[in-house]
Amino acid sequence: MKKFAGQSIIDKLSERFEASRPQLTSNTAIAEIREKALNHLVQNGLPHAKAEEYKFTNLTKALEKHINFSMEEESTEVNQGDVEKYRIEGLEAYYITFINGKFSEQFSDTIEENSISFSTLSNAIASNSALAEKHFDKLSKCTEDAFVAMNAVLANEGAVIDIKANAVIEKPVFIQFINTRSSDVQAKNLIRVGENAQVTIIEKVDTLAAEPGFSNVVNEIEVAAGANAKFYKIENDSPTSYHISNIHVTQAKDSTFTVNTIALNGAMVRNNLDIKLNAEGCEANMNGLYLLAGKTHVDNHTTVDHTMPNALSNELYKGIMDDQSKGVFNGKIFVRKDAQKTNAFQSNKNILLTDDATVNTKPQLEIWADDVKCSHGCTTGQLDKDALFYLMARGIKKDRAMAMLLHAFASDVIENLEIEAIQAYVEAIITSRLEK
């Protein structure tokens, strides 16, 4: 039998699936998806070093080296102080907390608003929830990415959130994953935002264990006609943690979806973002900031698919790489034949603070329509020496002057975050990192 990349990992995942088969296959429709995903892994393996989509991020090799997928450790105790430590100071939100992939009622808020329906994924699957069956792997598609397939095989927990039509949810919904062990956590969130509804979702993953850990989180998000949904992905995990995020979004007529991805720490982070604008009048906004130090590696892969006319997408990603860190950006925009009157803009800008820091960037634009306004571009360089000299000539110390310039570089992304508590959180980390 031919061996594929990640064969040892797939063997362990197969063993875990068989051991948990009664629990994982309790829902017939979802059981079929799990079997399909496992077959895909067995037949194709994980991404190898020369795989085009992962050629700058050899996550398979890192996981083979650092993560024991069959390991089941005793989880350490988590107290309120631990949970609060990884929340965002001053942020009022509905908190949904998972410890080692399991829902924690103790550290979660009771959502009493009638406009929000919340269930854990395990309960939704066990109760044959129509929402779970309708959305499980319908947007992410396990045969298109090996890590989505891995998630589809084993993910039995996460948040299932349904926002009713015309609802305006004033407080953000904060999905918090806290991991205390050095094994892997597979989680899937299914989110539906009803017609003309408004909601903000925040997701954050934190690892307490000193040893390497791996989290694989998939979000499948349906934004109905006229709805306005905002999603924040905050990545400030331990320097030994590995994380892959897949966010798959579909938008209906006149809807707006905004995603803010803030990557600050972790051993290796891969963010896959896929947005399909499936009707007229859609608007998609993508903002990203990666501020990296040490040997942190962050890879942002984005895809925006314009399928219908009169839609807009804006994409702005900025990166600051220090020490031996590495950033990767690959942004794809597709404008289909029927998507006339499309406006699509993409920008990626990077600053390297050392000779050892690197960035690989590849903006892509494929257009089949002829009446569109589209642009893309990327820049990579160092701090403006003239501006730095100007500040230092006025008595500002070099470290402080560099911090001021980098704050200015990142300011437009930070301003797009809108929520003051999150802005302050990111600003404080930038300040402490740059004024070291």
Side-chain angles (χ1 to χ4, degrees), residues 155-304:
N156 205 44
E157 199 57 287
V160 178
I161 298 172
D162 191 5
I163 309 299
K164 294 185 178 179
N166 302 309
V168 178
I169 311 303
E170 299 292 345
K171 292 201 300 186
V173 179
F174 195 117
I175 305 173
Q176 180 180 29
F177 294 98
I178 295 179
N179 306 324
T180 69
R181 61 190 186 193
S182 56
S183 183
D184 66 297
V185 171
Q186 312 281 339
K188 182 187 287 286
N189 301 317
L190 306 177
I191 300 167
R192 181 184 180 277
V193 185
E195 291 187 3
N196 302 311
Q198 298 179 33
V199 68
T200 296
I201 309 286
I202 303 167
E203 182 194 291
K204 191 168 183 283
V205 178
D206 293 287
T207 305
L208 275 63
E211 298 80 14
F214 172 56
S215 54
N216 181 9
V217 182
V218 172
N219 284 276
E220 303 192 56
I221 304 172
E222 178 188 347
V223 185
N228 188 335
K230 298 176 182 178
F231 192 96
Y232 290 75
K233 180 80 179 182
I234 300 174
E235 298 164 337
N236 189 27
D237 208 345
S238 70
T240 59
S241 64
Y242 296 82
H243 177 65
I244 183 164
S245 164
N246 275 279
I247 301 174
H248 295 263
V249 184
T250 181
Q251 292 185 235
K253 183 177 173 61
D254 296 327
S255 64
T256 301
F257 181 77
T258 301
V259 57
N260 298 287
T261 304
I262 308 298
L264 302 167
N265 202 11
M268 185 176 287
V269 177
R270 169 65 178 242
N271 295 311
N272 293 326
L273 172 63
D274 183 272
I275 302 177
K276 287 183 170 57
L277 288 72
N278 286 333
E280 292 193 55
C282 292
E283 178 179 335
N285 302 296
M286 294 143 283
N287 306 300
L289 177 65
Y290 39 108
L291 176 66
L292 314 181
K295 294 184 178 181
T296 295
H297 178 120
V298 172
D299 182 346
N300 288 297
H301 264 58
T302 68
T303 302
V304 184

Side-chain angles (χ1 to χ4, degrees), residues 376-397:
H376 67 172
C378 64
T379 60
T380 299
Q382 298 177 324
L383 279 176
D384 187 329
K385 293 182 179 179
D386 290 339
L388 185 61
F389 175 79
Y390 177 88
L391 293 173
M392 293 174 63
R394 278 147 184 78
I396 300 174
K397 292 183 179 180

Side-chain angles (χ1 to χ4, degrees), residues 9-164:
I9 295 175
I10 294 170
D11 290 343
K12 292 174 182 177
L13 295 177
S14 299
E15 292 174 6
R16 281 169 51 181
F17 177 75
E18 292 302 329
S20 304
R21 179 180 284 275
Q23 178 186 17
L24 294 173
T25 59
S26 61
N27 180 295
T28 303
I30 292 175
E32 291 178 0
I33 294 171
R34 295 195 194 278
E35 296 279 6
K36 180 181 178 182
L38 183 59
N39 288 336
H40 177 77
L41 285 176
V42 171
Q43 293 172 13
N44 297 280
L46 297 178
H48 52 79
K50 295 183 180 180
E52 181 65 24
E53 289 298 301
Y54 285 85
K55 68 179 181 179
F56 295 119
T57 303
N58 196 346
L59 188 56
T60 300
K61 182 179 179 180
L63 296 179
E64 286 180 317
K65 181 178 180 180
H66 296 289
I67 307 299
N68 183 351
F69 282 82
S70 63
M71 181 165 45
E72 292 293 338
E73 293 183 351
E74 291 284 331
S75 60
T76 58
E77 209 166 302
V78 176
N79 57 43
Q80 188 67 41
D82 294 325
V83 174
E84 292 292 340
K85 177 182 177 181
Y86 294 106
R87 291 180 177 177
I88 296 175
E89 185 177 356
L91 178 66
E92 289 190 21
Y94 294 114
Y95 285 94
I96 299 172
T97 304
F98 296 87
I99 308 294
N100 295 326
K102 303 295 183 183
F103 177 66
S104 171
E105 188 173 357
Q106 177 185 357
F107 299 122
S108 298
D109 294 328
T110 300
I111 301 177
E112 296 179 344
E113 288 196 44
N114 293 328
S115 301
I116 303 179
S117 171
F118 163 72
S119 172
T120 63
L121 180 62
S122 58
N123 286 341
I125 292 174
S127 63
N128 295 309
S129 162
L131 183 60
E133 286 192 8
K134 180 183 177 183
H135 285 276
F136 193 100
D137 197 52
K138 292 303 185 291
L139 301 181
S140 56
K141 296 182 180 178
C142 64
T143 57
E144 295 183 4
D145 183 274
F147 293 103
V148 170
M150 180 189 295
N151 182 276
V153 172
L154 293 176
N156 205 44
E157 199 57 287
V160 178
I161 298 172
D162 191 5
I163 309 299
K164 294 185 178 179

